[in-house]
Amino acid sequence: MKYKPISKKWALIHFIIVMGMFILTFLMMRNFAFTINNYIEDKSANYQQEYATIVSYRVVREEGYYVGFTTYYEYKAPNGKVYSGVWDTSIEKEEDAIAEVGKQVPIYVDHEKGIHTTTLSSYMGALCFAGVFAFAFLAVMLNSLVRLILYLIYTYKHKNNISQTEVE
């Protein structure tokens, strides 16, 4: 099959696509590796259900406007380590936030590793998302890179043929 060369304009477009997809591929591959690491750590953890206490709430504002209230939990393990974090970010009324303070909420703690989570959810959705997009960006980048390399090879060979005919 004979190669039909692309124009200089398309070569420039493929170069831009390669550069953009390289950055996106790098970022998504990094995200993919981070998600795999979290998935492995989560699956190897020996979580035990414990009960933390809602200890405080804060007003949430974005750009000066009132948005709502966020509650925070805290759990003190028998070994003295304190686990804390955000419990709820969707409380609209201050009365509801005040009513939450003091409540016991379930969290999951791995005492050996010193990690905790509020849900026993899987990272499978994030893993699939990151993997699919990382490899899709990689495929687009490689497609444009091959086209660009073929263009450069064709241009190099074509220039050599022209320069040889001019010498003779």
Side-chain angles (χ1 to χ4, degrees):
M1 184 170 144
K2 188 167 168 120
Y3 171 70
K4 182 180 175 191
I6 58 176
S7 67
K8 283 184 181 181
K9 178 180 84 172
W10 279 105
L12 179 63
I13 290 171
H14 282 293
F15 179 75
I16 293 169
I17 290 172
V18 167
M19 292 297 114
M21 288 297 130
F22 178 79
I23 292 168
L24 290 174
T25 301
F26 174 77
L27 292 174
M28 287 308 281
M29 285 291 194
R30 186 172 164 233
N31 186 22
F32 185 57
F34 179 74
T35 306
I36 287 174
N37 188 31
N38 284 345
Y39 179 77
I40 291 170
E41 183 178 299
D42 193 47
K43 288 300 174 187
S44 67
N46 182 23
Y47 288 120
Q48 297 174 351
Q49 186 176 11
E50 304 288 353
Y51 286 93
T53 305
I54 304 290
V55 292
S56 65
Y57 70 94
R58 291 189 189 136
V59 177
V60 178
R61 296 183 191 278
E62 287 183 13
E63 298 179 14
Y65 294 102
Y66 162 79
V67 176
F69 294 89
T70 299
T71 55
Y72 298 89
Y73 67 87
E74 190 173 282
Y75 168 71
K76 187 170 184 178
N79 63 3
K81 183 167 172 110
V82 176
Y83 300 93
S84 61
V86 174
W87 180 254
D88 191 359
T89 60
S90 62
I91 300 174
E92 294 180 10
K93 297 179 183 176
E94 187 172 13
E95 298 82 34
D96 296 338
I98 292 171
E100 292 288 315
V101 174
K103 282 189 178 178
Q104 297 287 308
V105 293
I107 64 168
Y108 303 92
V109 180
D110 183 338
H111 295 284
E112 291 177 18
K113 291 184 177 181
I115 58 175
H116 75 287
T117 183
T118 57
T119 61
L120 291 178
S121 62
S122 173
Y123 285 93
M124 194 54 69
L127 193 61
C128 291
F129 176 82
V132 166
F133 276 95
F135 289 107
F137 290 152
L138 180 65
V140 171
M141 181 187 76
L142 291 177
N143 177 44
S144 287
L145 185 62
V146 166
R147 289 175 183 264
L148 190 59
I149 290 171
L150 288 174
Y151 170 77
L152 293 172
I153 291 170
Y154 179 82
T155 305
Y156 178 76
K157 283 184 177 181
H158 188 65
K159 282 184 180 179
N160 283 344
N161 288 340
I162 291 174
S163 61
Q164 286 177 358
T165 55
E166 289 175 357
V167 172
E168 295 175 358

